[in-house]
Amino acid sequence: KENKKIPPQIIAVDFSNHMIEIAKTKCSHFNIEWICDRVENIEFSNTSVVLSSYVLQFVEMEKRKEIINKIYNALPQGGVFILSEKIYEEDESIEGIFTSLYHDFKLKNNYTHLEIQQKAEALKNVLIPATNDTYYTILKETGFSHITTIIKYLNFTCLIAKK
């Protein structure tokens, strides 16, 4: 903002070329460097903000800690990590309510029962959610000093962590 002559550099990562092509059409007015790779292979450096949207839920838990550590180490003091993920509630009765409400949302948005069931089956053992508390703990153990929830809706969360 202070120096309008230097636009921020944006680097976007996805492991799907197809998704990158879709994103390119939606973000064509931005100057973005696109990388097709898995987040585990990315070396973070010289960055002030990292935004991770529904990525870590597809990564093994031990590797999630390593990735968050790499992000932390790449941020300067005052740098920010914004993490959005699907989560689960340890209380099974609450988790059941959230899942039911989310399925109702999908039905109201023209998904069929079959599509909802097929997607749930396709993501089984692929999407591995953690709890909100798990992410807080990992972020705290990594060294982030200021962590808070920006938004939480049903079994989705968005956290911000400041170094």
Side-chain angles (χ1 to χ4, degrees), residues 68-157:
I68 291 173
N69 193 53
K70 287 195 315 185
I71 291 168
Y72 178 85
N73 290 332
L75 291 169
Q77 201 60 40
V80 173
F81 178 40
I82 301 170
L83 175 66
S84 298
E85 291 291 320
K86 184 168 186 184
I87 57 171
Y88 76 92
E89 294 296 324
E90 291 185 77
D91 182 321
E92 289 182 29
S93 64
I94 299 297
E95 177 66 17
I97 292 168
F98 285 176
T99 300
S100 178
L101 288 169
Y102 186 52
H103 286 180
D104 289 347
F105 168 80
K106 287 181 176 183
L107 289 169
K108 288 176 186 169
N109 284 277
N110 301 318
Y111 285 84
T112 66
H113 286 285
L114 180 60
E115 288 171 323
I116 294 168
Q117 182 182 13
Q118 287 174 332
K119 184 163 184 182
E121 193 60 37
L123 292 175
K124 197 175 192 175
N125 300 321
V126 175
L127 187 158
I128 306 160
T131 65
N132 211 41
D133 288 343
T134 298
Y135 283 114
Y136 266 91
T137 301
I138 293 170
L139 292 165
K140 198 72 158 165
E141 287 174 352
T142 300
F144 287 99
S145 57
H146 304 283
I147 306 161
T148 194
T149 302
I150 296 172
I151 190 168
K152 182 180 179 303
Y153 179 72
L154 302 176
N155 35 10
F156 297 90
T157 192

